[in-house]
């Protein structure tokens, strides 16, 4: 008798599909517990049925054996923070309670349900525990006078047929609008002290200074924060570092003195040294180049004195600087040519040392009291998860996306470099279809990142993989203006938009055609935000693209002066048209003013309530191409801001991308005919 043996087989992997888009879990906000045994974090998931996302708080054990869901309400919970004494795990949520809007909620680690802790009426945006766990430091703005105290009470939005008419919006600020926030009529954010025992809040800062990103001194006696004040604060957007005693009535003392014309303190946290004598923060090169600033690490003495710049030889952007527990070094993140990694620099100056080798992106770091380090890490083929960083190696602590990732057959990502016509060296990434065949020419998409101050890096990107799974080679280019290549590279496009970037993008497409990878007759292009701006620019100059998608872009910046949120950048970088004349504005409006040179069928998209790059930018280009008889379409997402957040709209956008590109880059094969019988 023959014995039959059944071998277990690994299920065949499959290409990624659109429905996978909302199956991923977004892990964020790494927070190590005081005893070092747990890591708290947030996880965002999509509820497809309700067409919304939901964020909950989770914990993972340091040994990686346990993942515990802490909250499960239909409302969002985020910003998990441990009380220093280890008794509470707190978070922010707008779940129903005694007061509307975001409030701090507490989970007692001895057990029980979360309880609403604060009961404040202002717009609470962030909070921080005092070292002795007896007070909270709140960042809060007064509510807009036109907003009702209770939901459904009328106000600007109205509520029902019998609601009172919305109140007029009265504007008296120079910069008067911001995406998501809307019209800026509310007073600036202030700092408040909230006493844990009495549950009373006291204002720390006056209404005359806008405060953000506060941190406690190690002894709990003082607070450092970023602030801006004065009649020109809105014009220059200059933030300085301040220190004040942690008591009501104390006067803030300004530590840095940037005037907004030469240098400025970049938004971020000023972090204390363990002995409380120094502060580390990010310093940028000035308001004129604000859109392209490369942040550097600065250390200033709390007692006063000139700041010192660390890692001066490192011509790369820094983020999240923080003293190590022993105060000897400063740990920070480096954005470096298609990847991001943690590094250390001696607190008194010296050489930079990388903490981790290999491609990938580390986007968040936290260090525990005993020196344990947890990071959020991802790569081209791994979705970001929390890892322990030990001896230069990563050990996974969370596994929220492992099951889905194990099912997927992904396209390989490769680095490439080439030369632009003016000699610039261009770097980028190629993502190939999962079933790539060498020697075959593929329809190819040039997908342009936004910013422009950002980069395409070795991080998991759903869009890239979806296009690759649908048979496209995807080209991502870190054109001039992108981060990761040094300060000179970033500022190269200042006041010269749509010029050098286009040369870099064209060079990349020349390259993929020259190596026989891209089918020159089936090239597409597209992007969102600054990627949409560059799409409009390149299709006016390069006629080889057979399809384009331009999202939340503009080709006529002069038409957006005073309409979008970039008035400070326009004034500082370009100059008001009545001061500098129209020449620079005409130069950067090439796409719209030369729309008659566009022959590429183009899909324009945008959010109805986008205050970042308003919909009018896409409407103008849609109308221009319609007038010229070029195939075009305009898609407007109702009640949406610059970032399309409604899950059904996100899916709709991807479906429209695929349909538009397929229509022009994948024409149906000619039908096969059989000769008629004679």
């Amino acid at each position: 008798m023959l014995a039959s043996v059944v071998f277990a087989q690994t299920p065949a992997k499959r290409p990624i599909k659109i429905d996978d888009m909302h199956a991923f879990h977004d892990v964020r906000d790494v927070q190590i517990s005081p005893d070092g045994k747990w890591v708290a974090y947030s996880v965002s998931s999509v509820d497809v049925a309700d067409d919304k996302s939901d964020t909950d708080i989770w914990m993972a054990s340091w040994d990686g054996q346990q993942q515990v869901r802490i909250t499960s309400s239909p409302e969002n919970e985020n910003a998990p923070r441990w009380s220093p004494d280890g008794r509470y795990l707190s978070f922010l949520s707008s779940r129903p309670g005694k007061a509307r809007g975001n409030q701090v909620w507490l989970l007692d680690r001895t057990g029980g349900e979360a309880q609403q802790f604060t009961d404040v009426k202002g717009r609470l945006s962030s909070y921080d525990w005092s070292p002795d766990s007896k007070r909270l430091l709140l960042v809060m703005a007064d509510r807009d006078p036109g907003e009702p105290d209770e939901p459904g009470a009328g106000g600007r939005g109205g509520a029902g047929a019998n609601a009172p008419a919305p109140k007029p919006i009265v504007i008296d600020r120079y910069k008067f609008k911001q995406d998501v926030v809307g019209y800026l009529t509310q007073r600036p954010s202030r700092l408040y002290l909230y006493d844990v025992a009495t549950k009373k809040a006291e204002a720390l800062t006056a209404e005359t200074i806008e405060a953000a990103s506060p941190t406690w001194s190690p002894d709990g006696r003082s607070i450092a924060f970023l602030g801006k004040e004065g009649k020109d604060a809105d014009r220059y957007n200059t933030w300085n570092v301040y220190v004040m005693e942690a008591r009501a009535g104390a006067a803030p003392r300004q530590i840095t003195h940037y005037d907004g014309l030469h240098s400025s303190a970049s938004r971020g946290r000023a972090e204390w040294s363990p002995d409380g004598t120094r502060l580390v923060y990010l310093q940028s090169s000035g308001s004129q180049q604000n859109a392209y600033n490369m942040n550097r690490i600065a250390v200033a003495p709390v007692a006063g004195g000139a700041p010192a710049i660390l890692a001066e030889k490192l011509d790369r952007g820094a983020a999240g600087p923080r003293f190590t527990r022993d105060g000897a070094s400063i740990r920070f993140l480096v954005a470096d040519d298609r990847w991001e990694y943690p590094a250390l620099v001696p607190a008194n100056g010296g050489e930079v040392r990388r903490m981790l080798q290999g491609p990938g992106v580390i986007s968040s770091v936290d260090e525990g009291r005993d020196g344990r380090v947890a990071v959020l890490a991802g790569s081209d083929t791994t979705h970001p998860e929390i890892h322990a960083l030990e001896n230069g190696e990563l050990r996974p602590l969370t596994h929220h996306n492992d099951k889905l990732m194990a099912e997927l057959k992904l396209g390989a990502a490769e680095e490439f470099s080439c030369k632009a016509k003016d000699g610039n060296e261009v770097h980028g990434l190629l993502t190939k279809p999962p079933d790539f065949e060498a020697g075959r020419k593929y329809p190819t998409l040039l997908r342009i990142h936004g910013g422009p101050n950002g980069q395409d890096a070795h991080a998991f990107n759903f869009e890239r993989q979806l296009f690759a799974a649908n048979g496209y080679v995807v080209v991502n280019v870190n054109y001039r203006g992108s981060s990761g290549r040094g300060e000179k590279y970033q500022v190269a496009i200042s006041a010269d938009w749509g010029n050098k970037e286009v040369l870099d993008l064209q060079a990349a497409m020349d390259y993929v055609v020259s190596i026989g990878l891209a089918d020159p007759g089936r090239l597409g292009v597209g992007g969102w935000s600054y990627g949409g701006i560059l799409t409009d620019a390149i299709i006016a100059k390069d006629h080889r693209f057979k399809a384009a998608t331009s999202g939340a872009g503009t080709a006529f910046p002069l038409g957006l002066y005073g309409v979008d949120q970039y008035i400070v950048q326009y004034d500082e970088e370009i100059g008001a048209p009545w001061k500098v004349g129209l020449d620079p504005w005409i130069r950067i409006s090439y796409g719209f003013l030369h729309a008659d040179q566009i022959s590429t069928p183009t899909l324009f998209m945008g959010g109805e309530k986008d205050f970042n790059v308003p919909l009018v930018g896409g409407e103008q280009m849609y109308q221009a191409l319609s007038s010229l008889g070029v195939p075009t379409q305009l898609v407007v997402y109702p009640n949406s801001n610059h970032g399309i957040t409604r899950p059904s709209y996100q899916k709709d956008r991807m479906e429209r991308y695929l349909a538009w590109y397929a229509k022009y880059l994948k024409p149906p094969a000619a039908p096969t005919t059989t000769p008629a019988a004679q």
Side-chain angles (χ1 to χ4, degrees), residues 169-231:
I169 301 172
V170 180
I171 304 294
D172 58 8
R173 294 178 58 167
Y174 184 68
K175 180 184 176 181
F176 66 93
K177 61 197 311 186
Q178 185 75 31
D179 196 40
V180 181
V181 178
Y183 290 105
L184 301 179
T185 59
Q186 63 271 28
R187 295 185 179 92
S189 294
R190 301 169 65 186
L191 303 185
Y192 289 79
L193 273 183
Y194 190 86
D195 187 87
V196 171
T198 64
K199 294 188 177 182
K200 292 184 178 180
E202 286 187 298
L204 279 181
T205 54
E207 294 181 354
T208 56
I209 181 170
E210 184 171 357
S213 307
T215 53
W216 290 91
S217 64
D219 61 9
R221 296 178 180 177
S222 299
I223 291 164
F225 65 95
L226 297 183
K228 62 176 181 176
E229 58 184 328
K231 63 182 180 64

Side-chain angles (χ1 to χ4, degrees), residues 17-71:
K17 57 183 186 293
I18 284 184
D19 285 341
D20 294 320
M21 182 180 190
H22 294 136
F24 290 101
H25 303 283
D26 189 9
V27 179
R28 294 178 183 269
D29 211 347
V30 186
Q31 301 287 323
I32 300 177
S33 64
D35 60 12
K37 296 180 180 180
W38 295 90
V39 178
Y41 57 98
S42 64
V43 178
S44 295
S45 306
V46 171
D47 185 331
V48 176
D50 285 345
D51 199 14
K52 69 174 187 176
S53 61
D54 179 49
T55 302
D56 290 303
I57 307 301
W58 286 67
M59 293 193 316
S61 60
W62 187 255
D63 61 12
Q65 298 303 306
Q66 298 182 69
Q67 289 177 233
V68 183
R69 185 174 182 173
I70 302 301
T71 67

Side-chain angles (χ1 to χ4, degrees), residues 535-536 539 547-550 598 600-604 625 630-633 660:
T535 297
D536 295 348
I539 60 176
T549 64
S550 177
I598 297 174
T600 303
T602 305
L603 171 65
F604 296 98
L625 296 198
V630 177
T632 186
Q633 190 176 68
W660 191 263

Side-chain angles (χ1 to χ4, degrees), residues 179-180 528 606-611 615 636-646 649:
D179 196 40
V180 181
W528 196 268
E608 180 190 23
K609 295 185 177 180
D610 187 346
F611 274 11
L615 184 63
V636 180
Y637 292 106
N639 298 312
S640 294
N641 303 116
H642 190 64
I644 305 299
T645 58
R646 193 178 186 97
Y649 291 167

Side-chain angles (χ1 to χ4, degrees), residues 469-667:
N470 280 270
Y472 297 98
V473 167
V474 184
V475 181
N476 296 110
V477 182
N478 290 324
Y479 51 84
R480 273 168 281 188
S482 303
S483 57
R485 294 283 302 281
E487 190 166 29
K488 184 178 179 181
Y489 194 86
Q490 288 181 209
V491 302
I493 66 170
S494 177
D496 190 25
W497 311 336
N499 179 19
K500 298 182 180 70
E501 314 97 299
V502 170
L503 295 179
D504 296 343
L505 297 170
Q506 289 176 312
M509 298 310 288
D510 292 341
Y511 171 77
V512 293
V513 169
S514 71
I515 63 174
L517 182 61
D519 182 342
R522 293 190 292 168
L523 303 181
V525 63
W528 196 268
S529 192
Y530 200 76
I533 291 172
L534 290 183
T535 297
D536 295 348
I538 198 170
I539 60 176
K541 297 181 178 182
D542 194 326
H543 301 144
R544 59 183 155 170
F545 295 102
K546 300 300 188 289
T549 64
S550 177
T554 180
F556 190 41
L558 180 59
L560 266 65
Y561 186 94
V563 177
D564 63 20
Q565 65 186 33
Y566 295 105
I567 187 62
V568 175
Q569 182 181 351
Y570 289 144
D571 285 350
E572 290 293 314
E573 184 180 337
I574 308 296
W578 51 88
K579 290 184 178 179
V580 300
L582 291 180
D583 287 349
W585 291 93
I586 290 173
R587 185 171 63 249
I588 64 175
S589 299
Y590 188 93
F592 179 74
L593 298 179
H594 295 81
D596 59 336
Q597 298 182 20
I598 297 174
S599 58
T600 303
T602 305
L603 171 65
F604 296 98
M605 312 173 91
E608 180 190 23
K609 295 185 177 180
D610 187 346
F611 274 11
N612 187 320
V613 185
L615 184 63
V616 64
E619 290 175 331
Q620 289 173 328
M621 286 301 292
Y622 165 75
Q623 197 71 74
L625 296 198
S626 294
S627 299
L628 293 163
V630 177
T632 186
Q633 190 176 68
L634 174 66
V635 178
V636 180
Y637 292 106
N639 298 312
S640 294
N641 303 116
H642 190 64
I644 305 299
T645 58
R646 193 178 186 97
S648 61
Y649 291 167
Q650 293 174 336
K651 181 180 179 181
D652 179 89
R653 178 170 57 179
M654 288 296 173
E655 290 173 336
R656 291 182 188 277
Y657 283 163
L658 289 174
W660 191 263
Y661 285 134
K663 180 178 181 179
Y664 295 101
L665 303 183
K666 293 183 175 182

Side-chain angles (χ1 to χ4, degrees), residues 119-417:
D119 184 13
V120 294
K121 296 185 180 297
R123 289 182 175 273
L124 177 58
S125 56
S126 67
Y127 71 104
D128 200 8
W129 285 93
S130 65
D132 61 5
S133 302
K134 294 182 178 180
R135 292 173 293 175
L136 292 178
L137 184 55
L138 309 180
V139 179
M140 188 165 57
D142 291 343
R143 289 195 174 275
D144 189 321
E147 184 178 358
D149 291 332
E150 298 296 333
R156 288 212 177 120
N162 297 321
K167 295 181 180 180
I169 301 172
V170 180
I171 304 294
D172 58 8
R173 294 178 58 167
Y174 184 68
K175 180 184 176 181
F176 66 93
K177 61 197 311 186
Q178 185 75 31
D179 196 40
V180 181
V181 178
Y183 290 105
L184 301 179
T185 59
Q186 63 271 28
R187 295 185 179 92
S189 294
R190 301 169 65 186
L191 303 185
Y192 289 79
L193 273 183
Y194 190 86
D195 187 87
V196 171
T198 64
K199 294 188 177 182
K200 292 184 178 180
E202 286 187 298
L204 279 181
T205 54
E207 294 181 354
T208 56
I209 181 170
E210 184 171 357
S213 307
T215 53
W216 290 91
S217 64
D219 61 9
R221 296 178 180 177
S222 299
I223 291 164
F225 65 95
L226 297 183
K228 62 176 181 176
E229 58 184 328
K231 63 182 180 64
D232 290 327
D234 277 347
R235 290 182 180 270
Y236 299 119
N237 201 29
T238 300
W239 294 85
N240 277 286
V241 179
Y242 292 77
V243 169
M244 68 181 299
E245 291 182 57
R247 61 176 178 83
R253 180 167 53 89
Q254 192 169 332
I255 301 298
T256 62
H257 298 274
Y258 304 119
D259 61 10
L261 298 175
H262 302 102
S263 301
S264 62
S266 174
R267 286 298 294 271
R269 283 166 62 104
E271 299 282 358
W272 295 80
S273 61
D275 63 6
T277 63
R278 292 182 290 177
L279 290 164
V280 62
Y281 61 96
L282 295 174
Q283 179 178 313
S284 56
S285 55
S287 56
Q288 186 173 3
Q289 306 299 344
N290 186 59
Y292 321 103
N293 275 325
M294 191 184 76
N295 292 329
R296 298 185 183 277
I297 300 171
V299 174
V302 175
I309 303 298
L310 303 185
E312 291 184 272
K313 296 180 182 179
L314 180 67
D315 189 22
R316 294 292 184 268
R322 193 166 188 173
F323 283 92
T324 53
R325 295 296 173 179
D326 60 7
S329 301
I330 291 168
R331 186 194 63 246
F332 63 104
L333 292 174
V334 180
D336 186 8
D337 196 10
R338 293 168 283 197
W339 50 10
E340 190 167 352
Y341 55 82
L344 291 170
V345 63
N348 293 322
E351 296 297 318
V352 173
R353 178 172 64 86
R354 292 182 59 162
M355 297 177 65
L356 185 68
Q357 300 295 325
V361 169
I362 305 297
S363 54
S364 181
V365 182
D366 190 42
E367 182 177 352
R369 290 179 179 176
D370 59 359
R372 301 182 190 202
V373 176
V375 303
L376 186 62
S379 68
D380 295 307
T381 55
T382 59
H383 205 277
E385 297 279 359
I386 297 174
H387 295 69
L389 175 56
E390 299 169 325
N391 302 315
E393 301 290 337
L394 294 176
R395 177 172 59 85
L397 299 181
T398 66
H399 307 273
H400 290 276
N401 297 286
D402 289 4
K403 183 177 183 297
L404 177 58
M405 294 298 293
E407 298 176 10
L408 303 177
K409 185 177 183 180
L410 301 176
E414 302 174 3
E415 294 187 355
F416 74 91
S417 61

